[in-house]
Amino acid sequence: MTNQENNQNQRNNKSVANGIKDTAGSAFETAHNALETTENIAMNTVDATTNVAKKLKGNLKNNR
């Protein structure tokens, strides 16, 4: 194999490696965003449940 072919192979390998890194980075970013969305939904659910509990407590207090 000539030096020029070797250099071309090294460039191709580097390009493939960078493509794999970019794909992995995108996959991790997608997973991270999904976790953040799940966390936001969970926290909104907790807030809504807290608000309902406060209203029920207030209604019970007013009905006594």
Side-chain angles (χ1 to χ4, degrees), residues 29-50:
E29 183 68 22
T30 299
H32 175 75
N33 290 340
L35 287 172
E36 281 189 346
T37 299
T38 302
E39 179 185 10
N40 288 339
I41 291 168
M43 294 310 295
N44 288 338
T45 302
V46 168
D47 290 342
T49 303
T50 300

Side-chain angles (χ1 to χ4, degrees), residues 10-26:
Q10 287 177 346
R11 282 193 294 275
N12 289 344
N13 288 342
K14 188 177 252 186
S15 178
V16 169
N18 285 337
I20 292 169
K21 276 177 52 178
D22 290 345
T23 300
S26 293

Side-chain angles (χ1 to χ4, degrees), residues 1-19:
M1 186 180 298
T2 67
N3 192 35
Q4 186 177 2
E5 288 174 327
N6 191 30
N7 288 341
Q8 183 62 41
N9 284 339
Q10 287 177 346
R11 282 193 294 275
N12 289 344
N13 288 342
K14 188 177 252 186
S15 178
V16 169
N18 285 337

